[in-house]
């Protein structure tokens, strides 16, 4: 009987691989190949110019079947190169580099197309153009972290290379306090021959406290039983560093940047093995026969990943990418795994909530459960009426999209969707204002 801690690498070739030309929140690449071309592993498929880019490489050998708009986990249709993979294992020459200066390290990370779990290219995340004193590694997705524990030395080396590349003086690795397996592994790990300091975040003892105390370059902290999703950057900063974000501010404003476990391993692979970013770990949970964590090549359709987990258990009702609360439900399992895919959740037809929203009865249950002390029902009602300025006044941007309010709402209001929509509108208005003043 398989369990969630099992990690398998999917070796079976998919019938087709869909490689989107944009796998991050930035500029789309232009394809470098055309229909009928043969490609090999690691070959660059997409390139672009600009300040926010992530090159795309082929994780497969194969033939270019078509190039066009294809379904994507973002919910949009994105220009993609569709390959028919072949058994050939030919790769481009992977050329490792040693003892290179920081500027070259950043260049290698950029060339490798590495992207953070929150969709920012890693080379940009490491160099935000502000004074940064701490690089946080968010290792609070336990199953993803477990998938990399067998290569923890490479993850730590990659993290050190990120510090070197960025010039950030210190690193903090953040674990969940209840993730005993990871805590044990990190306690046994060493950096530069020295054991890592593993400390709990307690009261006012944030990471800064320990860093000053032990004077290590890298420490590990166990910070509550929270998985910090991309919408929870403000909590991550407040809980781990004791630095609260002002409304509309981002982590670099409090001198912090974040990376993931996957990207640290990818940085190691890029610099020490010369490999671009081609695959990563994804957890598959819910209504599948063998839930597990898989190492999967980007471009592999979700349905092939679910097949590798024993197939659907019962009648599938919904497939959700990256979490049942803040994730995106996809309308087809033909969408591919991409660089920011962390998890796939399958719900059965019976589990899918199909209740119609009714009128708010002002019970305030949503207020009681909101960890950010917001008024979810009020914000959602204003968003529904297009009053986005009012949503902003009611701190909609502070919502971490945890979904707690929607779970308890007896009126089945679509609170998270409405609040998320208001956040999008507020940010769009903000960007328009910035553009207008430039
Ligand atoms: S999703 Fe709801 S409960 Fe969670 S932070 Fe946002 S408003 Fe609060
Ligand atoms: S929980 Fe639902 S019904 Fe109750 S106040 Fe909030 S939005 Fe209204």
């Amino acid at each position: 009987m398989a369990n969630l801690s099992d990690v398998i690498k999917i070796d079976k070739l998919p019938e087709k691989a869909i490689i989107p030309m944009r796998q991050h929140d930035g500029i789309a690449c232009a394809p470098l190949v055309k229909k009928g071309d043969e490609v090999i592993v690691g070959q660059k498929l997409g390139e672009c110019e600009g300040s926010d880019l992530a090159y795309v490489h082929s994780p497969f050998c194969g033939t270019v079947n078509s190039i066009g708009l294809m379904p994507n986990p973002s919910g949009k249709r994105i220009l993609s190169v569709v390959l028919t993979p072949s058994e050939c294992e030919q790769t481009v020459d992977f050329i490792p580099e040693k003892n290179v200066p920081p500027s070259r390290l950043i260049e290698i990370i950029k060339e490798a197309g590495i992207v953070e779990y929150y969709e920012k290219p890693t080379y940009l995340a490491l160099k935000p153009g502000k004074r940064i004193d701490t690089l946080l590694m968010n290792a609070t997705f336990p199953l993803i972290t477990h998938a990399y524990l067998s290569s923890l030395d490479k993850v730590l080396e990659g993290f050190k290379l990120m510090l070197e590349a960025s010039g950030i003086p210190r690193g903090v690795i953040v674990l969940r306090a209840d993730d005993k397996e990871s805590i044990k592994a990190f306690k046994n790990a060493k950096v530069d021959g020295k054991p890592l300091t593993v400390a709990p975040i307690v009261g006012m003892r944030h990471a800064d406290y320990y860093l000053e105390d032990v004077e290590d370059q890298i420490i590990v902290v166990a910070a509550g039983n929270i998985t910090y999703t991309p919408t929870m950057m403000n909590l991550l900063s407040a809980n781990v560093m004791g630095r609260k974000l002002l409304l509309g501010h981002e982590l670099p404003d409090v001198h912090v940047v974040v990376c993931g476990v996957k990207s640290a391993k990818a940085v190691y692979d890029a610099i020490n093995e010369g490999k671009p970013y081609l695959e990563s770990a994804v957890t598959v949970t819910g209504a599948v026969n063998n839930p597990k964590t898989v190492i999967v090549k980007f471009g592999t359709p979700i349905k092939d990943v679910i097949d590798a987990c024993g197939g659907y258990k019962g009648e599938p009702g919904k497939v959700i990418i990256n979490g049942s609360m803040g994730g995106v439900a996809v309308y087809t399992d033909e969408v591919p795994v991409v660089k920011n895919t962390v998890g796939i959740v399958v719900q059965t037809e019976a589990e899918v909530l199909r209740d119609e929203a009714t009128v708010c009865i002002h019970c305030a249950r949503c207020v009681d459960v909101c960890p950010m002390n917001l008024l979810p029902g009020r914000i959602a009602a204003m968003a529904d009426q297009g009053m986005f300025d009012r949503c902003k006044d009611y701190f909609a941007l502070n919502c971490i999209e945890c979904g707690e309010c929607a779970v308890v709402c007896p009126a089945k209001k679509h609170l998270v969707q409405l609040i998320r929509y208001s956040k999008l509108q507020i940010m769009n208005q903000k960007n328009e204002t910035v553009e207008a003043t430039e």
Side-chain angles (χ1 to χ4, degrees):
M1 172 88 178
N3 69 58
L4 267 172
S5 295
D6 290 345
V7 182
I8 60 156
K9 189 171 163 86
I10 301 182
D11 288 322
K12 188 167 173 264
L13 288 178
E15 261 178 44
K16 68 176 174 189
I18 303 162
I19 323 280
M21 290 292 99
R22 183 160 70 84
Q23 301 187 35
H24 74 297
D25 187 12
I27 301 168
C29 288
L32 295 170
V33 290
K34 57 184 187 319
K35 185 175 175 182
D37 283 357
E38 297 290 327
V39 300
I40 57 175
V41 175
Q43 181 176 331
K44 197 185 268 184
L45 295 183
E47 197 168 46
C48 49
E49 288 179 6
S51 61
D52 187 359
L53 50 85
Y55 300 129
V56 178
H57 303 79
S58 179
F60 300 93
C61 270
T63 311
V64 178
N65 193 302
S66 62
I67 298 173
L69 294 176
M70 295 295 289
N72 188 271
S74 63
K76 300 174 188 158
R77 290 167 69 82
I78 302 269
L79 182 69
S80 306
V81 171
V82 181
L83 296 177
T84 304
S86 70
E87 295 289 347
C88 138
E89 289 180 358
Q90 194 184 348
T91 69
V92 295
D93 288 339
F94 294 140
I95 304 167
E97 294 191 36
K98 298 271 181 208
N99 305 320
V100 290
S103 58
R104 177 66 193 142
L105 290 176
I106 285 286
E107 198 54 36
I108 298 171
I109 293 167
K110 180 179 178 182
E111 276 295 321
I114 303 169
V115 170
E116 291 301 331
Y117 65 96
Y118 53 94
E119 294 198 52
K120 203 170 194 65
T122 299
Y123 81 94
L124 268 187
L126 293 176
K127 288 281 194 186
K130 297 197 169 156
R131 184 181 65 80
I132 303 298
D133 61 29
T134 310
L135 172 61
L136 294 180
M137 186 202 286
N138 181 2
T140 62
F141 298 84
L143 296 172
I144 295 291
T145 306
H146 296 175
Y148 290 94
L149 290 182
S150 60
S151 47
L152 188 53
D153 52 340
K154 293 181 180 175
V155 172
L156 291 169
E157 178 65 25
F159 191 49
K160 266 194 68 182
L161 286 164
M162 285 169 144
L163 291 172
E164 201 180 322
S166 59
I168 299 170
R170 57 198 200 171
V172 175
I173 298 167
V174 188
L175 301 175
R176 281 178 62 120
D178 58 358
D179 181 6
K180 305 290 178 224
E181 191 174 335
S182 296
I183 291 173
K184 187 173 165 203
F186 277 89
K187 269 187 176 159
N188 290 329
K190 289 184 177 165
V191 171
D192 297 334
K194 257 183 76 182
L196 283 165
T197 298
V198 181
I201 298 290
V202 182
M204 299 301 284
R205 294 182 179 190
H206 296 111
D208 275 322
Y209 172 91
Y210 297 104
L211 282 160
E212 276 167 27
D213 204 31
V214 299
E215 293 179 355
D216 288 352
Q217 191 195 19
I218 297 176
I219 65 160
V220 182
V221 294
N225 298 336
I226 301 174
T227 290
Y228 292 97
T229 62
T231 55
M232 295 165 78
M233 292 296 195
N234 45 4
L235 271 193
L236 181 64
S237 168
N239 291 353
V240 174
M241 302 304 298
R243 302 179 192 176
K244 289 190 179 157
L245 284 183
L246 293 175
L247 193 61
H249 283 218
E250 297 180 336
L251 282 189
D253 294 316
V254 289
H255 316 299
V256 174
V257 290
V258 181
C259 69
V261 178
K262 292 184 189 197
S263 57
K265 170 67 166 48
V267 166
Y268 174 90
D269 291 342
I271 292 164
N272 285 291
E273 297 180 5
K275 286 185 185 167
Y277 197 27
L278 302 176
E279 63 181 21
S280 76
V282 173
T283 57
V284 186
T285 53
V288 293
N289 285 311
N290 297 314
K292 57 170 75 100
T293 307
V294 293
I295 305 289
V296 56
K297 291 178 175 162
F298 305 130
T300 303
I302 300 288
K303 73 177 173 48
D304 292 82
V305 178
I306 288 169
D307 283 348
C309 297
Y312 290 112
K313 192 174 182 179
E315 183 66 25
K318 209 184 245 185
V319 177
I320 306 166
I321 309 295
N322 290 347
S324 52
M325 287 304 177
V328 175
V330 290
Y331 61 91
T332 166
D333 58 9
E334 295 267 338
V335 300
V337 167
V338 295
K339 292 177 182 177
N340 76 324
T341 309
V342 178
I344 299 167
V345 183
V346 180
Q347 291 181 337
T348 61
E349 194 57 36
E351 286 167 333
V352 176
L353 288 174
R354 297 210 188 276
D355 300 294
E356 287 294 319
T358 57
V359 290
C360 172
I361 57 170
H362 303 288
C363 65
R365 286 185 207 173
C366 54
V367 182
D368 290 343
V369 296
C370 178
M372 300 306 291
N373 298 323
L374 302 177
L375 303 176
R378 180 78 59 90
I379 299 171
M382 291 184 296
D384 208 12
Q385 294 175 41
M387 298 161 64
F388 304 116
D389 282 342
R390 298 287 288 150
C391 295
K392 187 176 163 198
D393 294 342
Y394 277 80
F395 306 106
L397 287 179
N398 277 6
C399 170
I400 58 173
E401 300 179 21
C402 65
E404 296 287 339
C405 51
V407 170
V408 298
C409 176
K412 307 295 178 200
K413 305 286 288 179
H414 302 146
L415 298 170
V416 187
Q417 287 91 334
L418 284 163
I419 297 171
R420 188 186 287 161
Y421 181 57
S422 75
K423 287 169 68 180
L424 198 66
Q425 294 301 322
I426 296 166
M427 291 313 292
N428 284 347
Q429 280 174 6
K430 189 177 158 200
N431 292 341
E432 278 166 19
T433 312
V434 171
E435 275 170 24
T437 53
E438 277 175 355

